[in-house]
Amino acid sequence: MGGVTSAAHPVKRGNEASRAAERVARESYGRLVAFLAARTRDVAGAEDALAEAFAAALKSWPADGVPANPDAWLLTVARRRQADAARRRQTRQAGEEHLKMMADEMEEAAGSAGDIPDRRLALMFACAHPAIEKGMRTPLILQAILGLTAQDIAAAFLIPPATMGQRLVRAKSRLKDAGIPFAIPDSDQLTERLDAVLDAIYAAYTKGWAELGEPGAPQLAEEAIWLGRLIVSLLPAEPEAKGMLALMLYAEARRAARRGPDGAYVPLDEQDRDLWDETLMDAAEALLRQANAGGPSGRFQIEAAIQSAHVARLKTGANTWPAILALYDHLLALTQSPVVALNRAAAQGEIEGPIPALAAISPLEGDKRMAGYQPYWALKGHLLRRAGNTAEAHEALTIAMGLSTDAAVRRYLQDQLKSLPSN
Amino acid sequence: MRYMMLIHNDDEAYATAPQEVYAEWAAFNEALNKADAVPGLRLKEASAATTVRSRNGKTDVLDGPYIEAREQLAGYFIIDVPSLDEAIAWAQRCPSVKYGSIEIRPIVDPHS
């Protein structure tokens, strides 16, 4: 797993100026890919046209400074490279018309440089279209909007780079060939389709989150938050977008507190709250308030509200468990997800004790998906331990430990096992 | 898809593994068992291997493993999961992944 980060983010470890340059390059890149692909529906073609220019920008801007008009800079370099490529390929008839169309688009864009229409939202809706395989929506968005390479994405998704490359190529052909619209859906469809976009962005965040603490882990979390801010700015009236960004910021605010000085896993209730990032926490609270004022509740808004209730509980000592349980009830009715049922049972355990909570998760026993689902065994073990059922607690915690991929969590569970009374 | 998960250990690195690795193995085997995996087998160190090959009627018996390499086959387990992604997750959980590598090999289905 090591050695991924340095290749993934050459400028990330540099100073603030180079990070800013990378951000501007990314902002321009995504906007230009979206603009070029909007009419042709050819994301791969747009990326090809801009790839070298983007790479050149990532290399020279951190050193030379960001140009006054970044879009125009990228377009100029891209046009020059494309003209070279066209000359080289002159003998080949196929694709020439397409190349010309792309060049015309660039011409048009350059004419209005500085004021290129922002079609990134439409591109995101295309990438997260129901006709695109669910697992490929996040990688597509990461590549088309942020310019991440197949290799970087593969590292985060734990897939061989060549496989990820092939899947991305296939997904882009599908975008082009299946007639997937590059458009913002009508209002009657917007909610459902927006859910898919938000899911895709949030999936990028949870990848970054799970990798936390592992040296060399790609920092997808930061990219996901950037995308979250983008979608909130593009759809300011949608409460769910704000809810999702808030949810990511609540988790991000606690990042430093999630591991002890020796790298050990620290559960929420034992975290050092001085390590929480108050700026991010306040931003999350503000977003959640705006989302709540904006309208009906969706999945992300409820999950953000649950996080807010945890924060209130830990900061003020107020007993917000009943509110948390009520929010989980709401969420369970909305999603019917076994994962939510699990979290709901954990909250129930805090209010009613371990026995009713164990009864609540007993229907999941036969669910085949749970056999390999670490959080199920961790919760079950935790509840059994509290219930004084040592033998079964030992079994469940052992399985949870065996299913952990994170060494810190494994160690934590081993300590829990050791602390079980022996009989 | 059924996958055979071939564990290749760096015996030298494995020899320095902390005591916890045994608890990790116990936990991992328990989890495998729960997931209805085919229980695996653990092999003795590669230094105990003997390799035999026959060419043109002449048989060679060699002292040592098939290929001299830092990482040597140390055992295996078999899992039945929906896709490669889950197989990769199991490889990540395997305690030996830190002391070598896990090779994931799809098993040929004789009926397909």
Side-chain angles (χ1 to χ4, degrees):
Chain A
M1 295 265 303
V4 186
T5 310
S6 55
H9 300 292
V11 290
K12 192 152 265 175
R13 301 210 181 285
N15 53 27
E16 273 306 304
S18 66
R19 284 169 82 104
E22 193 195 12
R23 287 284 174 240
V24 178
R26 185 152 287 178
E27 172 90 31
S28 274
Y29 175 82
R31 217 171 26 233
L32 290 170
V33 167
F35 177 79
L36 291 175
R39 205 171 306 171
T40 58
R41 293 216 312 271
D42 184 1
V43 173
E47 285 173 343
D48 284 349
L50 288 162
E52 286 185 54
F54 182 53
L58 284 182
K59 212 160 115 194
S60 72
W61 295 4
D64 305 341
V66 176
N69 188 335
D71 291 353
W73 191 99
L74 281 169
L75 273 175
T76 308
V77 177
R79 262 189 307 169
R80 209 181 299 142
R81 299 286 158 93
Q82 209 175 32
D84 292 347
R87 258 198 301 281
R88 278 199 299 273
R89 271 183 267 176
Q90 220 144 39
T91 46
R92 259 199 278 164
Q93 270 294 50
E96 200 147 296
E97 197 177 320
H98 180 71
L99 266 179
K100 186 171 177 317
M101 180 149 130
M102 202 68 99
D104 290 347
E105 296 267 311
M106 281 198 194
E107 208 69 53
E108 186 193 322
S112 62
D115 194 21
I116 290 171
D118 195 342
R119 308 244 162 88
R120 283 177 294 180
L121 190 55
L123 178 56
M124 281 195 267
F125 274 109
C127 291
H129 192 276
I132 295 290
E133 188 198 336
K134 198 157 181 248
M136 281 314 291
R137 294 175 193 166
T138 305
L140 260 185
I141 289 177
L142 289 171
Q143 180 145 85
I145 304 286
L146 296 177
L148 294 194
T149 64
Q151 194 171 357
D152 296 350
I153 301 168
F157 281 71
L158 296 173
I159 286 174
T163 309
M164 179 55 84
Q166 286 158 6
R167 288 185 192 173
L168 280 165
V169 167
R170 228 178 299 138
K172 279 177 217 161
S173 312
R174 210 170 150 67
L175 273 180
K176 195 168 145 201
D177 301 336
I180 290 168
F182 281 59
I184 296 156
D186 295 337
S187 55
D188 59 326
Q189 275 196 2
L190 185 68
T191 309
E192 195 181 320
R193 294 282 313 281
L194 179 61
D195 279 352
V197 175
L198 298 178
D199 276 347
I201 296 173
Y202 191 67
Y205 184 78
T206 54
K207 289 281 173 202
W209 189 232
E211 302 291 315
L212 178 92
E214 291 180 28
Q219 302 193 344
L220 271 195
E222 208 179 310
E223 317 292 2
I225 288 174
W226 191 86
L227 286 169
R229 292 192 203 276
L230 176 66
I231 197 134
V232 166
S233 74
L234 295 173
L235 282 173
E238 287 298 324
E240 266 299 85
K242 292 200 180 86
M244 184 207 51
L245 180 56
L247 183 58
M248 293 196 286
L249 294 180
Y250 278 119
E252 197 61 21
R254 298 195 300 251
R255 181 178 286 274
R258 243 187 126 221
R259 289 286 185 273
D262 55 347
Y265 167 76
V266 185
L268 178 61
D269 282 37
E270 288 159 33
Q271 286 176 6
D272 177 358
R273 289 190 284 286
D274 288 341
L275 293 175
W276 287 4
D277 184 326
E278 286 303 322
T279 313
L280 289 178
M281 204 62 98
D282 290 347
E285 294 277 335
L287 279 162
L288 178 62
R289 271 197 303 275
Q290 289 171 31
N292 289 344
S297 290
R299 171 212 155 181
F300 287 112
Q301 203 178 335
I302 301 171
E303 285 193 56
I306 291 168
Q307 292 309 311
S308 179
H310 277 301
V311 170
R313 177 173 71 79
L314 293 164
K315 272 191 175 169
T316 69
N319 178 14
T320 58
W321 280 115
I324 292 169
L325 185 60
L327 285 163
Y328 272 124
D329 280 336
H330 198 155
L331 192 58
L332 187 58
L334 200 70
T335 62
Q336 304 293 336
S337 145
V339 177
V340 175
L342 215 53
N343 285 317
R344 187 201 167 278
Q348 188 184 10
E350 296 297 328
I351 300 166
E352 300 167 22
I355 306 290
L358 281 166
I361 62 166
S362 70
L364 293 174
E365 182 90 54
D367 191 326
K368 220 172 164 339
R369 287 169 297 179
M370 291 298 131
Y373 188 63
Q374 196 268 355
Y376 168 75
W377 294 103
L379 174 66
K380 190 171 170 178
H382 170 73
L383 293 170
L384 286 164
R385 188 171 69 110
R386 280 182 57 201
N389 189 338
T390 307
E392 281 188 57
H394 193 278
E395 190 204 7
L397 289 171
T398 302
I399 293 169
M401 182 180 154
L403 290 171
S404 304
T405 54
D406 182 331
V409 172
R410 210 178 290 154
R411 215 172 341 146
Y412 173 80
L413 289 166
Q414 199 175 356
D415 289 345
Q416 297 259 298
L417 278 166
K418 281 188 192 146
S419 75
L420 285 174
S422 49
N423 50 353
Chain B
M1 288 279 283
R2 293 213 309 151
Y3 293 94
M4 184 173 223
M5 312 286 280
L6 298 164
I7 301 164
H8 298 270
N9 267 358
D10 177 341
D11 287 337
E12 240 173 80
Y14 196 73
T16 66
Q19 202 60 26
E20 280 93 72
V21 79
Y22 297 103
E24 289 179 1
W25 266 112
F28 180 70
N29 284 331
E30 186 102 27
L32 271 179
N33 188 30
K34 203 71 188 179
D36 292 329
V38 175
L41 289 174
R42 181 180 165 198
L43 309 178
K44 289 196 175 171
E45 292 75 25
S47 56
T50 306
T51 305
V52 181
R53 49 167 82 87
S54 256
R55 294 290 182 276
N56 306 321
K58 183 180 177 297
T59 298
D60 279 336
V61 178
L62 296 167
D63 178 19
Y66 171 55
I67 296 173
E68 283 298 340
R70 187 162 184 83
E71 292 179 357
Q72 291 288 351
L73 187 62
Y76 73 88
F77 57 97
I78 292 171
I79 46 161
D80 191 350
V81 289
S83 77
L84 178 65
D85 293 356
E86 290 82 11
I88 291 172
W90 277 107
Q92 247 194 309
R93 292 163 178 158
C94 177
S96 273
V97 77
K98 286 180 289 184
Y99 309 100
S101 40
I102 314 295
E103 183 179 351
I104 302 173
R105 297 285 293 264
I107 294 174
V108 174
D109 179 358
H111 305 294
S112 73

Short mmCIF file of all heavy atoms in Angstrom, two decimals, chain A residues 298-338:
data_model
loop_
_atom_site.label_atom_id
_atom_site.label_comp_id
_atom_site.label_asym_id
_atom_site.label_seq_id
_atom_site.Cartn_x
_atom_site.Cartn_y
_atom_site.Cartn_z
N GLY A 298 -33.81 14.17 4.04
CA GLY A 298 -33.31 13.02 3.29
C GLY A 298 -32.29 12.32 4.14
O GLY A 298 -32.00 12.72 5.27
N ARG A 299 -31.72 11.29 3.58
CA ARG A 299 -30.79 10.44 4.30
C ARG A 299 -29.60 11.21 4.89
O ARG A 299 -29.27 11.07 6.06
CB ARG A 299 -30.29 9.38 3.31
CG ARG A 299 -29.15 8.56 3.83
CD ARG A 299 -28.23 8.13 2.72
NE ARG A 299 -26.91 7.88 3.29
CZ ARG A 299 -25.86 7.49 2.59
NH1 ARG A 299 -25.97 7.32 1.28
NH2 ARG A 299 -24.70 7.30 3.17
N PHE A 300 -28.99 12.08 4.06
CA PHE A 300 -27.78 12.76 4.54
C PHE A 300 -28.10 13.77 5.62
O PHE A 300 -27.35 13.93 6.58
CB PHE A 300 -27.06 13.44 3.37
CG PHE A 300 -26.37 12.45 2.47
CD1 PHE A 300 -26.81 12.24 1.16
CD2 PHE A 300 -25.29 11.72 2.92
CE1 PHE A 300 -26.17 11.33 0.33
CE2 PHE A 300 -24.65 10.80 2.10
CZ PHE A 300 -25.09 10.61 0.81
N GLN A 301 -29.23 14.45 5.43
CA GLN A 301 -29.63 15.45 6.43
C GLN A 301 -29.85 14.77 7.78
O GLN A 301 -29.43 15.29 8.82
CB GLN A 301 -30.91 16.10 5.93
CG GLN A 301 -31.15 17.47 6.51
CD GLN A 301 -32.43 18.05 5.93
OE1 GLN A 301 -32.84 17.68 4.82
NE2 GLN A 301 -33.05 18.95 6.65
N ILE A 302 -30.50 13.61 7.78
CA ILE A 302 -30.75 12.90 9.04
C ILE A 302 -29.43 12.42 9.64
O ILE A 302 -29.20 12.56 10.85
CB ILE A 302 -31.69 11.69 8.82
CG1 ILE A 302 -33.02 12.15 8.24
CG2 ILE A 302 -31.92 10.96 10.14
CD1 ILE A 302 -33.91 11.02 7.80
N GLU A 303 -28.56 11.89 8.81
CA GLU A 303 -27.28 11.40 9.34
C GLU A 303 -26.45 12.54 9.92
O GLU A 303 -25.77 12.37 10.93
CB GLU A 303 -26.49 10.67 8.24
CG GLU A 303 -27.07 9.29 7.97
CD GLU A 303 -26.13 8.44 7.13
OE1 GLU A 303 -24.97 8.25 7.53
OE2 GLU A 303 -26.57 7.98 6.06
N ALA A 304 -26.52 13.72 9.27
CA ALA A 304 -25.81 14.88 9.80
C ALA A 304 -26.44 15.29 11.14
O ALA A 304 -25.73 15.65 12.08
CB ALA A 304 -25.85 16.03 8.81
N ALA A 305 -27.76 15.22 11.22
CA ALA A 305 -28.44 15.58 12.47
C ALA A 305 -28.02 14.62 13.60
O ALA A 305 -27.87 15.04 14.75
CB ALA A 305 -29.96 15.54 12.27
N ILE A 306 -27.82 13.35 13.26
CA ILE A 306 -27.36 12.38 14.26
C ILE A 306 -25.97 12.77 14.77
O ILE A 306 -25.69 12.75 15.97
CB ILE A 306 -27.36 10.95 13.68
CG1 ILE A 306 -28.80 10.48 13.45
CG2 ILE A 306 -26.60 9.98 14.60
CD1 ILE A 306 -28.93 9.21 12.63
N GLN A 307 -25.11 13.17 13.84
CA GLN A 307 -23.77 13.61 14.25
C GLN A 307 -23.85 14.83 15.15
O GLN A 307 -23.12 14.94 16.13
CB GLN A 307 -22.91 13.92 13.01
CG GLN A 307 -22.56 12.69 12.19
CD GLN A 307 -21.97 11.58 13.03
OE1 GLN A 307 -21.06 11.80 13.82
NE2 GLN A 307 -22.53 10.38 12.91
N SER A 308 -24.74 15.75 14.79
CA SER A 308 -24.91 16.97 15.58
C SER A 308 -25.36 16.61 17.01
O SER A 308 -24.88 17.19 17.99
CB SER A 308 -25.95 17.87 14.91
OG SER A 308 -26.14 19.03 15.66
N ALA A 309 -26.25 15.62 17.10
CA ALA A 309 -26.73 15.20 18.42
C ALA A 309 -25.61 14.56 19.24
O ALA A 309 -25.54 14.73 20.46
CB ALA A 309 -27.90 14.23 18.27
N HIS A 310 -24.73 13.82 18.58
CA HIS A 310 -23.57 13.24 19.28
C HIS A 310 -22.66 14.35 19.80
O HIS A 310 -22.16 14.27 20.92
CB HIS A 310 -22.77 12.33 18.34
CG HIS A 310 -23.32 10.95 18.24
ND1 HIS A 310 -23.46 10.11 19.33
CD2 HIS A 310 -23.78 10.24 17.17
CE1 HIS A 310 -23.97 8.95 18.94
NE2 HIS A 310 -24.19 9.01 17.62
N VAL A 311 -22.44 15.37 18.95
CA VAL A 311 -21.58 16.48 19.35
C VAL A 311 -22.17 17.18 20.58
O VAL A 311 -21.46 17.44 21.56
CB VAL A 311 -21.40 17.48 18.18
CG1 VAL A 311 -20.71 18.75 18.67
CG2 VAL A 311 -20.60 16.83 17.05
N ALA A 312 -23.48 17.42 20.54
CA ALA A 312 -24.15 18.09 21.67
C ALA A 312 -24.02 17.26 22.94
O ALA A 312 -23.72 17.77 24.02
CB ALA A 312 -25.61 18.32 21.33
N ARG A 313 -24.21 15.94 22.78
CA ARG A 313 -24.12 15.02 23.90
C ARG A 313 -22.73 15.08 24.55
O ARG A 313 -22.60 15.17 25.77
CB ARG A 313 -24.39 13.61 23.36
CG ARG A 313 -24.29 12.47 24.31
CD ARG A 313 -24.76 11.19 23.62
NE ARG A 313 -23.82 10.71 22.61
CZ ARG A 313 -22.71 10.02 22.88
NH1 ARG A 313 -22.39 9.78 24.13
NH2 ARG A 313 -21.92 9.62 21.91
N LEU A 314 -21.69 15.07 23.71
CA LEU A 314 -20.33 15.01 24.25
C LEU A 314 -19.85 16.36 24.74
O LEU A 314 -19.04 16.44 25.65
CB LEU A 314 -19.38 14.46 23.18
CG LEU A 314 -19.64 12.97 22.86
CD1 LEU A 314 -18.98 12.57 21.56
CD2 LEU A 314 -19.16 12.09 24.00
N LYS A 315 -20.37 17.44 24.12
CA LYS A 315 -19.89 18.77 24.52
C LYS A 315 -20.60 19.27 25.76
O LYS A 315 -20.00 19.91 26.61
CB LYS A 315 -20.11 19.77 23.37
CG LYS A 315 -18.95 19.81 22.40
CD LYS A 315 -19.12 20.99 21.46
CE LYS A 315 -17.92 21.14 20.56
NZ LYS A 315 -18.20 22.11 19.49
N THR A 316 -21.91 19.05 25.85
CA THR A 316 -22.68 19.63 26.94
C THR A 316 -23.10 18.61 27.97
O THR A 316 -23.60 18.98 29.03
CB THR A 316 -23.97 20.29 26.40
OG1 THR A 316 -24.85 19.24 25.93
CG2 THR A 316 -23.67 21.25 25.25
N GLY A 317 -22.91 17.33 27.65
CA GLY A 317 -23.33 16.31 28.60
C GLY A 317 -24.82 16.04 28.57
O GLY A 317 -25.34 15.25 29.36
N ALA A 318 -25.52 16.74 27.68
CA ALA A 318 -26.97 16.53 27.57
C ALA A 318 -27.24 15.10 27.08
O ALA A 318 -26.48 14.57 26.28
CB ALA A 318 -27.57 17.54 26.60
N ASN A 319 -28.32 14.51 27.55
CA ASN A 319 -28.67 13.16 27.09
C ASN A 319 -29.46 13.27 25.78
O ASN A 319 -30.67 13.46 25.79
CB ASN A 319 -29.49 12.43 28.15
CG ASN A 319 -29.89 11.05 27.65
OD1 ASN A 319 -29.35 10.55 26.65
ND2 ASN A 319 -30.85 10.45 28.33
N THR A 320 -28.74 13.15 24.67
CA THR A 320 -29.42 13.25 23.38
C THR A 320 -29.67 11.88 22.77
O THR A 320 -30.08 11.79 21.62
CB THR A 320 -28.59 14.11 22.39
OG1 THR A 320 -27.29 13.51 22.25
CG2 THR A 320 -28.43 15.53 22.87
N TRP A 321 -29.43 10.82 23.55
CA TRP A 321 -29.65 9.47 23.00
C TRP A 321 -31.07 9.25 22.48
O TRP A 321 -31.25 8.67 21.41
CB TRP A 321 -29.27 8.39 24.03
CG TRP A 321 -27.78 8.15 24.12
CD1 TRP A 321 -26.98 8.39 25.18
CD2 TRP A 321 -26.93 7.62 23.09
NE1 TRP A 321 -25.67 8.05 24.89
CE2 TRP A 321 -25.62 7.57 23.61
CE3 TRP A 321 -27.14 7.19 21.78
CZ2 TRP A 321 -24.53 7.11 22.89
CZ3 TRP A 321 -26.06 6.73 21.04
CH2 TRP A 321 -24.77 6.70 21.60
N PRO A 322 -32.10 9.71 23.23
CA PRO A 322 -33.46 9.51 22.69
C PRO A 322 -33.64 10.19 21.33
O PRO A 322 -34.28 9.63 20.44
CB PRO A 322 -34.36 10.15 23.76
CG PRO A 322 -33.56 10.05 25.02
CD PRO A 322 -32.13 10.25 24.60
N ALA A 323 -33.06 11.39 21.17
CA ALA A 323 -33.15 12.08 19.87
C ALA A 323 -32.43 11.28 18.80
O ALA A 323 -32.91 11.14 17.67
CB ALA A 323 -32.55 13.48 19.99
N ILE A 324 -31.27 10.74 19.17
CA ILE A 324 -30.49 9.94 18.20
C ILE A 324 -31.30 8.71 17.77
O ILE A 324 -31.38 8.39 16.58
CB ILE A 324 -29.13 9.53 18.83
CG1 ILE A 324 -28.26 10.78 19.00
CG2 ILE A 324 -28.42 8.48 17.97
CD1 ILE A 324 -27.00 10.57 19.84
N LEU A 325 -31.93 8.06 18.75
CA LEU A 325 -32.73 6.87 18.43
C LEU A 325 -33.90 7.23 17.51
O LEU A 325 -34.17 6.51 16.52
CB LEU A 325 -33.24 6.22 19.72
CG LEU A 325 -33.98 4.89 19.54
CD1 LEU A 325 -33.08 3.84 18.89
CD2 LEU A 325 -34.52 4.37 20.87
N ALA A 326 -34.54 8.37 17.79
CA ALA A 326 -35.67 8.79 16.95
C ALA A 326 -35.20 9.08 15.53
O ALA A 326 -35.89 8.74 14.55
CB ALA A 326 -36.33 10.04 17.56
N LEU A 327 -34.04 9.69 15.41
CA LEU A 327 -33.49 9.97 14.07
C LEU A 327 -33.18 8.68 13.33
O LEU A 327 -33.42 8.55 12.13
CB LEU A 327 -32.24 10.84 14.19
CG LEU A 327 -32.49 12.33 14.53
CD1 LEU A 327 -31.21 13.00 15.03
CD2 LEU A 327 -33.05 13.07 13.32
N TYR A 328 -32.65 7.69 14.06
CA TYR A 328 -32.37 6.39 13.42
C TYR A 328 -33.66 5.70 12.99
O TYR A 328 -33.70 5.03 11.96
CB TYR A 328 -31.54 5.48 14.35
CG TYR A 328 -30.05 5.69 14.18
CD1 TYR A 328 -29.26 6.03 15.26
CD2 TYR A 328 -29.45 5.56 12.93
CE1 TYR A 328 -27.89 6.23 15.11
CE2 TYR A 328 -28.09 5.76 12.78
CZ TYR A 328 -27.31 6.08 13.87
OH TYR A 328 -25.97 6.28 13.71
N ASP A 329 -34.72 5.84 13.80
CA ASP A 329 -36.01 5.26 13.41
C ASP A 329 -36.44 5.83 12.06
O ASP A 329 -36.86 5.10 11.16
CB ASP A 329 -37.07 5.60 14.47
CG ASP A 329 -36.97 4.68 15.67
OD1 ASP A 329 -36.44 3.57 15.51
OD2 ASP A 329 -37.41 5.08 16.77
N HIS A 330 -36.33 7.15 11.97
CA HIS A 330 -36.68 7.87 10.75
C HIS A 330 -35.83 7.37 9.57
O HIS A 330 -36.32 7.08 8.49
CB HIS A 330 -36.43 9.35 11.01
CG HIS A 330 -37.11 10.26 10.05
ND1 HIS A 330 -37.45 11.55 10.35
CD2 HIS A 330 -37.51 10.05 8.79
CE1 HIS A 330 -38.03 12.10 9.30
NE2 HIS A 330 -38.08 11.22 8.34
N LEU A 331 -34.54 7.25 9.83
CA LEU A 331 -33.60 6.84 8.78
C LEU A 331 -33.87 5.40 8.34
O LEU A 331 -33.80 5.07 7.14
CB LEU A 331 -32.17 6.97 9.32
CG LEU A 331 -31.01 6.87 8.34
CD1 LEU A 331 -31.12 7.93 7.25
CD2 LEU A 331 -29.68 7.02 9.08
N LEU A 332 -34.20 4.56 9.30
CA LEU A 332 -34.46 3.16 8.99
C LEU A 332 -35.71 3.03 8.11
O LEU A 332 -35.74 2.26 7.15
CB LEU A 332 -34.62 2.35 10.28
CG LEU A 332 -34.73 0.83 10.12
CD1 LEU A 332 -33.52 0.27 9.42
CD2 LEU A 332 -34.91 0.16 11.48
N ALA A 333 -36.73 3.82 8.45
CA ALA A 333 -37.95 3.79 7.66
C ALA A 333 -37.65 4.24 6.22
O ALA A 333 -38.25 3.74 5.26
CB ALA A 333 -39.00 4.72 8.28
N LEU A 334 -36.72 5.16 6.09
CA LEU A 334 -36.39 5.72 4.77
C LEU A 334 -35.53 4.77 3.94
O LEU A 334 -35.72 4.63 2.73
CB LEU A 334 -35.62 7.02 5.00
CG LEU A 334 -35.53 8.04 3.89
CD1 LEU A 334 -36.88 8.67 3.66
CD2 LEU A 334 -34.50 9.11 4.25
N THR A 335 -34.58 4.08 4.59
CA THR A 335 -33.58 3.32 3.82
C THR A 335 -33.76 1.80 3.89
O THR A 335 -33.32 1.10 3.01
CB THR A 335 -32.15 3.61 4.34
OG1 THR A 335 -32.07 3.19 5.70
CG2 THR A 335 -31.83 5.09 4.26
N GLN A 336 -34.38 1.30 4.95
CA GLN A 336 -34.52 -0.14 5.17
C GLN A 336 -33.17 -0.85 5.16
O GLN A 336 -33.08 -2.02 4.82
CB GLN A 336 -35.40 -0.79 4.08
CG GLN A 336 -36.76 -0.18 3.94
CD GLN A 336 -37.63 -0.43 5.17
OE1 GLN A 336 -37.41 -1.38 5.90
NE2 GLN A 336 -38.58 0.44 5.41
N SER A 337 -32.12 -0.12 5.50
CA SER A 337 -30.78 -0.69 5.37
C SER A 337 -30.38 -1.45 6.63
O SER A 337 -30.58 -0.97 7.75
CB SER A 337 -29.78 0.44 5.10
OG SER A 337 -28.55 0.17 5.71
N PRO A 338 -29.81 -2.66 6.48
CA PRO A 338 -29.36 -3.40 7.66
C PRO A 338 -28.26 -2.66 8.42
O PRO A 338 -28.13 -2.82 9.64
CB PRO A 338 -28.82 -4.72 7.08
CG PRO A 338 -28.66 -4.51 5.62
CD PRO A 338 -29.58 -3.40 5.23
#
